[in-house]
Amino acid sequence: DAKTTQPPSMDCAEGRAANLPCNHSTISGNEYVYWYRQIHSQGPQYIIHGLKNNETNEMASLIITEDRKSSTLILPHATLRDTAVYYCIVKENFGNEKLTFGTGTRLTIIP
Amino acid sequence: DADVTQTPRNRITKTGKRIMLECSQTKGHDRMYWYRQDPGLGLRLIYYSFDVKDINKGEISDGYSVSRQAQAKFSLSLESAIPNQTALYFCATSWGGERTDTQYFGPGTRLTVL
């Protein structure tokens, strides 16, 4: 059973903020939310992760709801190079080491 | 220079042939992984290794074997390739000492079995 639900596709205008939602209603207390992306057929690239606090790094921001049942990845100023499939993954740190990639959201940045 | 390299990048082979895909990393990570990706689908874990003496099966290990020759090298073998093993194969690494599980992926090997 899938642990996360993401929309299959989204469009965003270049220069605007891209907001990618993810539902993970069955997340457990020790599971983190990870985001990866895959540009065309390249290897997936780590973006960001968090447990319950909002996180920000040089690539993106991660907003996790207080009940932790959903989250949003924000790319603040999307560029054409951000066109990719974005994967939201929940998993424990340590123990079960498997990253389970679903089908993700295909984000297309429109010029 | 890439931290995680895979060879070959592309390979076409015939049914029944033995194939080895190689992965090397310069990140100094102790953990290495092999995934496959089929068109339109996410990645599925084949095998993973936490150190040189540790090998673990993933969700789709049948038909595959691995060898961890050194901390920096992790090879995937298809003993007798079949057409439904045609896929994109990715190697990944991570550091078990971190309090995260960030994995770093190689560029992939596109394998076609005729």
Side-chain angles (χ1 to χ4, degrees):
Chain A
D1 291 338
K3 286 189 170 183
T4 63
T5 304
Q6 299 177 254
S9 64
M10 294 180 61
D11 293 339
C12 178
E14 187 178 16
R16 304 295 295 269
N19 295 275
L20 292 90
C22 180
N23 287 321
H24 31 79
S25 58
T26 60
I27 192 170
S28 64
N30 57 351
E31 287 184 316
Y32 285 68
V33 180
Y34 282 80
W35 283 85
Y36 283 74
R37 73 180 182 183
Q38 186 175 24
I39 297 172
H40 193 45
S41 294
Q42 298 177 21
Q45 177 189 23
Y46 165 81
I47 301 173
I48 198 168
H49 76 282
L51 183 61
K52 55 183 178 181
N53 297 321
N54 297 338
E55 302 288 343
T56 296
N57 63 19
E58 65 278 5
M59 291 183 67
S61 294
L62 174 60
I63 309 297
I64 302 174
T65 58
E66 190 170 350
D67 63 7
R68 303 210 321 124
K69 293 184 177 182
S70 65
S71 60
T72 301
L73 178 74
I74 301 172
L75 307 178
H77 305 286
T79 71
L80 298 178
R81 289 176 294 180
D82 292 321
T83 292
V85 178
Y86 287 76
Y87 297 98
C88 170
I89 301 165
V90 297
K91 71 175 294 295
E92 297 178 7
N93 280 351
F94 309 119
N96 179 5
E97 297 298 332
K98 186 165 71 74
L99 280 179
T100 301
F101 288 82
T103 53
T105 295
R106 182 172 298 278
L107 175 67
T108 302
I109 306 302
I110 309 297
Chain B
D1 289 340
D3 295 317
V4 184
T5 57
Q6 294 184 232
T7 56
R9 294 294 312 280
N10 289 281
R11 181 71 183 269
I12 300 174
T13 191
K14 295 182 178 180
T15 297
K17 294 292 187 180
R18 184 177 188 274
I19 296 297
M20 179 179 288
L21 309 182
E22 299 189 8
C23 177
S24 295
Q25 52 111 348
T26 58
K27 299 186 74 68
H29 287 169
D30 53 346
R31 299 180 175 186
M32 299 186 73
Y33 311 80
W34 275 105
Y35 294 87
R36 69 174 275 177
Q37 185 174 34
D38 296 280
L41 300 180
L43 281 71
R44 291 182 292 169
L45 185 63
I46 305 172
Y47 272 97
Y48 61 102
S49 168
F50 287 171
D51 64 39
V52 175
K53 299 178 181 179
D54 178 75
I55 300 291
N56 304 282
K57 292 183 177 180
E59 59 183 312
I60 54 164
S61 59
D62 288 348
Y64 301 94
S65 63
V66 291
S67 173
R68 186 81 185 268
Q69 303 95 318
Q71 186 182 40
K73 296 184 182 298
F74 194 36
S75 300
L76 176 72
S77 294
L78 287 67
E79 297 301 325
S80 180
I82 56 177
N84 75 1
Q85 291 177 313
T86 293
L88 191 53
Y89 290 84
F90 291 103
C91 174
T93 74
S94 68
W95 176 235
E98 288 184 351
R99 287 187 57 79
T100 65
D101 187 29
T102 303
Q103 294 189 14
Y104 298 85
F105 286 79
T109 294
R110 187 171 296 280
L111 177 66
T112 302
V113 183
L114 302 177

